[in-house]
Amino acid sequence: MGTRADFYIGTGENAEWLGSVAWDGYEWQEDNDCPLMKAATEQEFREAVAAIAVKRKDWTSPQQGWPWPWDNSFTTDRAYAFCDGKTQCFEFGELPSENEEDDLAKTVGWPNMKDRKNVTMGPRSGIMLFG
């Protein structure tokens, strides 16, 4: 499924973007036993993201540029960020909540990637074409 995901150290406009995937970006959120979700330190999180990167053909690194046509992670399906000593998974820029009123309080900012865009139509895009 074309569920895109971005990975960060921290949140806000100064968060460090580590990379993105174009497909099945929800899979880690559903597995609390995986290294990404269990990371207790920034180093463990970085190592978990690096392990994801080497296994994925749809991985985009910061050196390749921001892969999406939008400017930040408010439009990306999932954003995984290591902050407050743990991995947090955001959906369209917000932490999911049972209470709709709580969602507004859990919205965070993301870096503006407008100047780093390098949109691709290849396997890293997550675009599905049907003929």
Side-chain angles (χ1 to χ4, degrees):
M1 184 172 178
T3 305
R4 293 151 184 85
D6 302 322
F7 301 87
Y8 292 93
I9 300 295
T11 59
E13 64 183 46
N14 294 317
E16 178 187 357
W17 173 54
L18 302 178
S20 301
V21 297
W23 299 99
D24 299 330
Y26 58 87
E27 67 183 78
W28 304 284
Q29 175 188 11
E30 297 175 355
D31 182 2
N32 289 330
D33 201 38
C34 75
L36 181 74
M37 298 307 292
K38 287 174 47 176
T41 66
E42 179 181 322
Q43 186 59 35
E44 288 176 4
F45 183 84
R46 287 180 184 277
E47 289 170 3
V49 171
I52 291 167
V54 298
K55 295 178 183 175
R56 304 289 296 243
K57 292 181 182 178
D58 62 338
W59 176 260
T60 297
S61 69
Q63 294 77 18
Q64 293 169 300
W66 184 249
W68 319 129
W70 47 88
D71 292 342
N72 59 45
S73 289
F74 282 115
T75 307
T76 306
D77 302 282
R78 302 287 186 280
Y80 296 89
F82 187 80
C83 49
D84 298 327
K86 64 182 178 182
T87 300
Q88 296 191 43
C89 180
F90 297 81
E91 295 179 11
F92 298 101
E94 298 180 352
L95 284 171
S97 173
E98 301 279 327
N99 181 348
E100 287 183 28
E101 293 176 15
D102 288 346
D103 279 342
L104 294 177
K106 295 180 181 181
T107 300
V108 299
W110 300 105
N112 186 329
M113 301 296 203
K114 183 175 126 182
D115 294 333
R116 297 180 73 179
K117 277 188 192 176
N118 187 17
V119 179
T120 177
M121 296 300 286
R124 295 182 294 112
S125 73
I127 296 174
M128 293 183 277
L129 300 174
F130 300 96

